[in-house]
Amino acid sequence: MLSPKLQDALNEQINAEMWSAYLYLSMAMHFQAEGRPGFANWYSVQFQEEQAHAEILRNYVNARGGRVVLKAIDAVPTEWKNELDAFQATLEHEQKVTALINNLYAMAEAEKDYASRARLDWFVNEQVEEEDNCRTLIDRLKLIGDNGLALYTLDNELAARTYNVPSPLATAE
Ligand code: MG
């Protein structure tokens, strides 16, 4: 059985992952309107990935005989100055998510809930990848500066990103 405290914290994390999804959908819509279809595509894929993160947690709470309780999703920002600004905001957000995951992990450890700790390992590793992806794009955008052709090339590259279910845990009920 999940403790009520850990169940509440996992429900909070489900909400945080859905907020992330909503944030990245907002970024996708922003870049769609700005005429950056590749950036819009990158964030649309990110939107789907975040929904999968929430699904992994929902499946886990259900598998432990817990109760998923969905909460309101807070409003998200809608405008960013440019591509670099959006990716810096993304990195900052992912660093906050990493801290949330670390807190959950510490809670699972303190409660000796080893099943929760094991499931959270997936998220610990995922956060390393999320932050690394953002840093790589931030570095490239800094190099690009105001070079329109280089930005156009990156937009084309990001248009090729496709969504893959990040883990079988996101589909198994
Ligand atoms: Mg996430």
Side-chain angles (χ1 to χ4, degrees):
M1 255 315 250
L2 285 171
S3 76
K5 186 181 166 197
L6 194 52
Q7 177 173 293
D8 283 352
L10 287 164
N11 274 316
E12 284 297 330
Q13 192 61 34
I14 289 167
N15 186 263
E17 300 294 345
M18 292 304 286
W19 193 86
S20 300
Y22 206 37
L23 173 67
Y24 297 146
L25 181 61
S26 184
M27 286 172 163
M29 294 304 100
H30 166 78
F31 284 120
Q32 203 74 63
E34 292 291 312
R36 301 280 186 274
F39 283 90
N41 176 64
W42 195 93
Y43 276 108
S44 289
V45 171
Q46 204 66 16
F47 162 60
Q48 294 176 82
E49 279 203 359
E50 296 304 333
Q51 290 179 85
H53 295 170
E55 191 165 9
I56 292 171
L57 292 169
R58 290 197 304 271
N59 289 342
Y60 176 69
V61 171
N62 287 328
R64 291 289 306 277
R67 177 68 164 96
V68 173
V69 178
L70 301 179
K71 295 163 197 217
I73 300 168
D74 290 341
V76 290
T78 54
E79 294 291 335
W80 292 270
K81 285 201 288 280
N82 51 38
E83 293 74 16
L84 182 59
D85 183 39
F87 274 99
Q88 277 168 337
T90 302
L91 177 60
E92 224 171 88
H93 175 62
E94 288 300 333
Q95 286 167 335
K96 280 183 199 154
V97 173
T98 300
L100 292 175
I101 296 291
N102 288 345
N103 288 343
L104 263 178
Y105 199 98
M107 193 186 290
E109 272 200 334
E111 293 192 5
K112 296 187 171 28
D113 186 331
Y114 300 116
S116 293
R117 198 183 69 173
R119 186 55 47 98
L120 289 166
D121 276 333
W122 186 88
F123 285 88
V124 170
N125 294 324
E126 176 70 10
Q127 285 310 116
V128 172
E129 204 183 300
E130 297 280 18
E131 289 189 27
D132 186 44
N133 288 342
C134 283
R135 279 195 201 93
T136 302
L137 282 162
I138 286 169
D139 288 345
R140 288 187 63 184
L141 285 163
K142 282 181 178 166
L143 273 177
I144 286 169
D146 59 2
N147 183 325
L149 181 58
L151 189 62
Y152 175 75
T153 304
L154 179 59
D155 191 64
N156 271 341
E157 192 186 309
L158 299 184
R161 186 184 187 195
T162 54
Y163 174 67
N164 298 303
V165 178
S167 161
L169 297 170
T171 44
E173 276 293 343

